Amino acid sequence: MAAGDIESADFSETGYSFTLSLISGKYKPVILYCLMEYEPVRFNQMQRYLREVADKTLSQNLKELESDGLISRKMYPQVPPKVEYTLTPLGKSLMKILDQLCVWGLKHRPKAGADIKRKED
């Protein structure tokens, strides 16, 4: 797309925008990463992994990821209830992309004690 076309462009119609809408927020990418590394994961395990996340916040994020088709929830009929979360095939396909964020971060992460140099606008 040429620079002059920005007047008629609509970011909300891009694939990038759609992808961000699925993984936006503080916890969703971390939840997906956790499931990529450790699935299946129970609610309390996820909460310990995320550390200081409220039950309500974690529950809401899991519901949204499930609603978007990225994770699945399996409930076992027992007392106390046991619920496990796993990635769906759609969620696994997204992990290929999110894993590249990890690769990039490891490559460009500053060494211990080094400052991150950021370009200021």
Side-chain angles (χ1 to χ4, degrees), residues 50-113:
L50 295 172
R51 306 211 181 219
E52 304 207 9
V53 61
D55 287 358
K56 183 178 178 180
T57 302
L58 178 56
S59 180
Q60 182 63 37
N61 278 262
L62 289 167
K63 285 177 184 175
E64 289 173 9
L65 289 166
E66 183 181 13
S67 174
D68 290 335
L70 298 176
I71 67 171
S72 63
R73 178 181 187 267
K74 183 174 182 181
M75 186 168 179
Y76 296 89
Q78 65 186 50
V79 178
K82 177 182 173 183
V83 177
E84 290 181 338
Y85 295 91
T86 58
L87 292 170
T88 63
L90 182 64
K92 287 178 182 178
S93 71
L94 182 58
M95 290 301 92
K96 295 173 186 173
I97 296 163
L98 293 182
D99 190 49
Q100 288 303 305
L101 291 173
C102 296
V103 170
W104 188 92
L106 289 171
K107 182 177 179 182
H108 297 286
R109 183 179 185 170
K111 304 287 186 239

Side-chain angles (χ1 to χ4, degrees), residues 4-43:
D5 294 339
I6 195 165
E7 297 300 324
S8 61
D10 182 357
F11 178 73
S12 67
E13 296 295 321
T14 65
Y16 190 80
S17 173
F18 175 72
T19 304
L20 287 180
S21 74
L22 296 178
I23 63 169
S24 64
K26 183 175 181 178
Y27 296 107
K28 286 182 183 178
V30 182
I31 290 168
L32 293 168
Y33 180 81
C34 178
L35 290 172
M36 179 182 72
E37 292 291 320
Y38 304 108
E39 74 175 350
V41 177
R42 296 192 329 252
F43 185 89

